[in-house]
Amino acid sequence: MLLYNVTVIMEEPIAADWLQWMKTTQIPTVMATDCFVSHRLLKIMDSPNEGLSYCVQFISEDEAKHEEFRNLHEQQFTAEMYTKYPNQLVSFSTLMEFVG
């Protein structure tokens, strides 16, 4: 099992709108790719960054499913977020493996 984590750091005025968009549009669309078996959305409480920080985490069953997402969908979903919120946020992703 792999955990694909997207950390998003944003300006406070867009946070409520971004959260609503993630919950109603972006997360359901990502989950519809069938590349992930579950997800969670978290607020980072002790971020050293200015603004607000959130993590969106998606769990895939194996590397093949994650690679499918990366190759077919990731660029589109990232572009949609930056298009919707230009110059108002930054994001980065990490891939983690469950070890215990």
Side-chain angles (χ1 to χ4, degrees):
M1 302 275 281
L2 299 173
L3 188 145
Y4 172 63
N5 182 82
V6 180
T7 300
V8 183
I9 304 160
M10 68 192 67
E11 297 176 2
E12 193 167 338
I14 69 162
D17 186 72
W18 180 87
L19 281 167
Q20 183 67 20
W21 177 70
M22 286 302 293
K23 291 175 184 178
T24 60
T25 304
Q26 194 75 333
I27 291 173
T29 304
V30 170
M31 293 303 294
T33 66
D34 291 326
C35 294
F36 303 104
V37 296
S38 66
H39 73 278
R40 63 187 132 197
L41 177 60
L42 305 119
K43 182 178 181 182
I44 299 174
M45 301 300 293
D46 62 351
S47 175
N49 302 301
E50 289 187 30
L52 298 175
S53 299
Y54 292 88
C55 290
V56 186
Q57 298 179 338
F58 298 95
I59 297 174
S60 60
E61 292 178 330
D62 54 41
E63 186 141 0
K65 284 291 190 182
H66 178 259
E67 283 299 313
E68 178 183 335
F69 177 77
R70 285 192 69 205
N71 293 333
L72 300 177
H73 308 289
E74 183 179 41
Q75 190 173 22
Q76 172 190 342
F77 289 116
T78 301
E80 287 174 4
M81 184 170 62
Y82 281 107
T83 299
K84 184 165 178 64
Y85 301 101
N87 303 313
Q88 297 173 307
L89 53 76
V90 295
S91 69
F92 63 91
S93 62
T94 51
L95 181 64
M96 297 171 249
E97 181 178 25
F98 287 88
V99 293

